[in-house]
């Protein structure tokens, strides 16, 4: 029999529920202490509770351990190793389906870690010695060891393969390979492990290893679409590499042939060359070259530096052909913008080239360059022809000074 409900008339000054703005309103006893905190402080306190927290905060109110959170964490390990691993594995799968690869990997880490924890098993001696037998029944579980071991291996294999997927998506290819190798030790027929290992090696450009994994996987499952697609990618990449290597060899062989042809052309013309440094001057694409790099008899040309030693100025001629004369180039170079006294005009200058022995040879302005170079007296130094240009009126002065400098240097 139920007691009849009693109804009491409302007080005239009663405040509607939830309205604390009226004077004299009383808060529930459990909330009375909340008045001493601001809204921000209350929010921080709530966020320490696992039921309200919006982000993981493992510290308590006083900065120590968050007891409530640790208690909830401990609940995750209340079952057997296999049960704990299964729970974490499923959470990892949920995150993987949402492509939250880092979170998924963490749950697979926990699943694998749970399998390494000590197992709670029934111990008859402990039960007999435990005065609280009911408590012992709750703390210990009777297990079928063979079935439990089978479940643990199943969860370990699946967690390793799934963690390999996470590492593959996160581009941790080395970790992906290690997870696949560990899974294959458990089950050498795991096709997913072969595929993911093959993909990791493919991204690392380790094609032999990728092909090995792919081939083993296809032996187990010859119609696997993912492995067949990977096999095509490996072959395509292998073809690309072989093509690039072949083209590189062809370029190197061509350069070698052209170098030999140029050396033959210089030797045939009795033109001496010399290198003084392993780092030649930067001349962009200006080089000693043949008009036809494969024909030693074609026209030879040289980069040339015109020096004006009395005024510390220079001009650069990118290509000075062997059948051209110095005068032909001076015609378009002169007058010089800095030559206010007009000392440098084609008919007012003389040209000199330093010899191999440190002397000077006068270069006729109408003489073809080849006739100057094949005398055997001058040489091309560091792939660059150097010609000194001085006003005729001061030529002897400069020559005498040049000799003095050379003599002092000996």
């Amino acid at each position: 029999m139920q007691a009849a409900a009693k109804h009491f008339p409302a007080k005239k000054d009663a405040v509607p529920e939830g309205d604390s703005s009226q004077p004299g309103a009383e808060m529930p006893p459990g909330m009375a202490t909340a008045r001493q905190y601001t809204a921000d402080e209350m929010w921080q306190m709530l966020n320490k509770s696992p039921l309200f927290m919006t982000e993981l905060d493992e510290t308590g109110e006083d900065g120590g351990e968050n007891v409530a959170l640790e208690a909830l964490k401990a609940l995750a390990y209340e079952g057997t190793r296999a049960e704990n691993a299964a729970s974490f594995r499923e959470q990892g799968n949920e995150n993987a389906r949402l492509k939250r690869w880092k979170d998924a990997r963490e749950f697979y880490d926990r699943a694998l870690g749970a399998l390494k924890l000590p197992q709670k098993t029934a111990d008859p001696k402990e039960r007999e010695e435990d005065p609280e037998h009911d408590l012992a029944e709750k703390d210990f579980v009777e297990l079928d060891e063979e079935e439990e071991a089978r479940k643990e291996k199943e969860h370990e294999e699946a967690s390793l393969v799934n963690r390999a997927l996470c590492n593959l998506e996160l581009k941790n290819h080395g970790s992906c390979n290690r997870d696949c190798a560990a899974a294959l030790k458990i089950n050498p027929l795991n096709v997913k492990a072969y595929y993911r290992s093959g993909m990791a090696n493919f991204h690392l450009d380790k094609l032999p290893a990728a092909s090995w994994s792919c081939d083993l996987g296809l032996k187990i499952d010859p119609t696997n679409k993912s492995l067949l697609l990977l096999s095509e990618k490996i072959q395509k990449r292998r073809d690309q590499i072989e093509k690039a290597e072949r083209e590189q060899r062809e370029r190197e062989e061509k350069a070698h042939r052209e170098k030999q042809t140029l050396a033959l052309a210089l030797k045939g013309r009795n033109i001496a060359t010399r290198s003084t440094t392993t780092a030649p001057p930067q001349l962009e694409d200006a080089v000693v070259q043949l008009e036809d790099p494969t024909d030693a008899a074609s026209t030879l040309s040289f980069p040339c530096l015109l020096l004006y030693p009395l005024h510390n100025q220079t001009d650069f001629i990118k290509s000075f052909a062997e059948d051209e004369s110095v005068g032909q180039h001076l015609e378009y170079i002169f007058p010089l913008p800095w030559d206010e006294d007009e000392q440098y005009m084609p008919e007012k200058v003389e040209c000199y080239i330093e010899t191999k022995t440190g002397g000077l040879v006068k270069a006729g302005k109408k003489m073809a360059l080849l006739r100057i170079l094949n005398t055997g007296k001058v040489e091309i130094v560091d792939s660059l022809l150097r010609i000194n240009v001085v006003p005729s009126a001061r030529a002897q002065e400069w020559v005498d000074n040049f000799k003095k400098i050379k003599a002092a240097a000996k």
Side-chain angles (χ1 to χ4, degrees):
M1 182 175 178
Q2 295 181 343
K6 295 183 179 181
H7 298 278
F8 297 95
K11 296 182 180 179
K12 293 182 180 180
D13 58 350
V15 179
E17 184 179 354
D19 186 356
S20 60
S21 61
Q22 299 294 331
E26 296 183 2
M27 297 182 68
M31 293 292 291
T33 57
R35 291 191 175 200
Q36 60 183 309
Y37 301 109
T38 65
D40 288 341
E41 290 172 338
M42 283 296 295
W43 176 250
Q44 291 176 5
M45 291 170 63
L46 287 172
N47 201 44
K48 298 292 183 181
S49 169
L51 296 177
F52 293 97
M53 61 174 52
T54 56
E55 58 184 13
L56 187 60
D57 186 350
E58 299 191 4
T59 60
E61 294 182 16
D62 58 355
E65 184 179 63
N66 190 329
V67 178
L69 180 59
E70 293 303 318
L72 284 179
K73 281 181 170 181
L75 290 176
Y77 295 93
E78 283 299 307
T80 65
R81 284 197 300 240
E83 289 170 346
N84 294 334
S87 176
F88 287 128
R89 173 187 163 191
E90 181 54 37
Q91 292 178 77
N93 293 345
E94 287 293 332
N95 280 277
R97 280 191 281 271
L98 296 172
K99 297 186 178 182
R100 298 172 180 168
W101 304 116
K102 288 186 178 180
D103 292 337
R105 183 179 62 181
E106 182 176 343
F107 280 114
Y108 294 132
D109 286 342
R110 292 184 181 184
L112 293 167
L115 295 171
K116 297 177 182 178
L117 295 175
Q119 183 71 279
K120 290 184 177 181
T121 58
D123 187 335
K125 291 184 178 180
E126 287 192 30
R127 286 191 176 191
E128 292 174 1
E129 295 173 359
D130 195 324
E132 298 182 12
H133 185 71
D134 290 341
L135 180 60
E137 290 286 351
K138 295 178 183 178
D139 284 349
F140 298 98
V141 181
E142 293 282 358
L143 296 177
D144 180 336
E145 294 185 4
E146 185 176 337
E147 177 63 15
E148 191 69 13
R150 185 194 65 77
K151 290 180 180 179
E152 289 180 8
K153 285 298 180 183
E154 176 188 334
H155 294 309
E156 183 181 7
E157 178 188 351
S159 296
L160 284 167
V161 172
N162 292 343
R163 189 172 70 177
L165 172 62
C166 297
N167 281 318
L168 183 63
E169 294 292 341
L170 294 169
K171 303 187 187 307
N172 298 325
H173 301 123
S175 296
C176 175
N177 263 329
R178 287 188 287 274
D179 284 340
C180 290
L184 289 169
K185 285 183 179 179
I186 299 171
N187 178 14
L189 301 179
N190 192 308
V191 175
K192 287 184 179 180
Y194 285 118
Y195 171 72
R196 289 165 188 172
S197 176
M199 283 297 295
N201 284 306
F202 175 77
H203 288 302
L204 291 170
D205 231 9
K206 296 180 177 179
L207 299 188
S211 183
W212 180 83
S213 296
C214 188
D215 291 345
L216 287 177
L218 286 171
K219 285 182 179 179
I220 300 167
D221 185 359
T223 62
N224 187 284
K225 292 182 179 180
S226 296
L227 285 169
L228 289 171
L229 182 60
L230 174 58
S231 180
E232 291 178 7
K233 288 182 177 180
I234 293 170
Q235 186 57 50
K236 184 177 180 180
R237 178 58 181 157
R238 185 181 286 119
D239 292 342
Q240 289 176 342
I241 292 174
E242 289 177 356
K243 181 181 178 182
E245 290 175 346
R246 183 173 62 253
E247 291 175 348
Q248 178 64 22
R249 286 195 302 271
E250 290 173 354
R251 285 193 296 270
E252 292 174 353
E253 290 171 1
K254 180 183 176 183
H256 180 66
R257 289 194 302 269
E258 291 178 356
K259 186 177 180 181
Q260 287 183 319
T261 303
L262 179 60
L264 180 62
L266 291 168
K267 184 177 181 181
R269 290 165 171 80
N270 195 34
I271 298 174
T273 62
R274 178 166 57 93
S275 296
T276 63
T277 175
T278 56
Q282 296 295 321
L283 303 176
E284 298 179 354
D285 58 342
V287 293
V288 178
Q289 61 184 348
L290 288 162
E291 186 176 10
D292 179 356
T294 64
D295 183 4
S298 62
T299 302
L300 192 60
S301 62
F302 306 85
C304 178
L305 190 64
L306 294 181
L307 305 168
Y308 308 105
L310 292 177
H311 290 82
N312 295 320
Q313 298 286 344
T314 61
D315 275 315
F316 181 65
I317 301 172
K318 186 175 181 179
S319 180
F320 195 143
E322 61 182 346
D323 55 0
E324 295 174 337
S325 67
V326 179
Q328 286 177 270
H329 288 283
L330 295 181
E331 286 292 340
Y332 68 80
I333 292 175
F334 291 165
L336 301 172
W338 45 265
D339 180 24
E340 297 178 357
D341 299 332
E342 296 185 350
Q343 298 180 60
Y344 293 88
M345 301 300 290
E347 68 279 4
K348 293 182 179 181
V349 297
E350 293 183 6
C351 302
Y352 296 89
I353 301 176
E354 188 173 348
T355 66
K356 291 189 289 185
T357 57
L360 290 170
V361 61
K362 188 174 182 180
K365 287 177 287 185
K366 295 182 179 181
M367 186 181 296
L369 179 62
L370 181 57
R371 289 187 58 190
I372 300 171
L373 295 180
N374 67 6
T375 60
K377 294 181 180 180
V378 300
E379 61 185 351
I380 304 297
V381 180
D382 295 330
S383 301
L384 184 64
L385 172 65
R386 294 170 174 83
I387 301 177
N388 294 281
V389 181
V390 295
S392 299
R394 301 184 60 185
Q396 192 58 50
E397 170 194 343
W398 178 78
V399 170
D400 292 341
N401 189 54
F402 177 87
K403 291 179 179 179
K404 288 180 181 178
I405 294 173
K406 286 293 182 180
K410 292 181 180 180

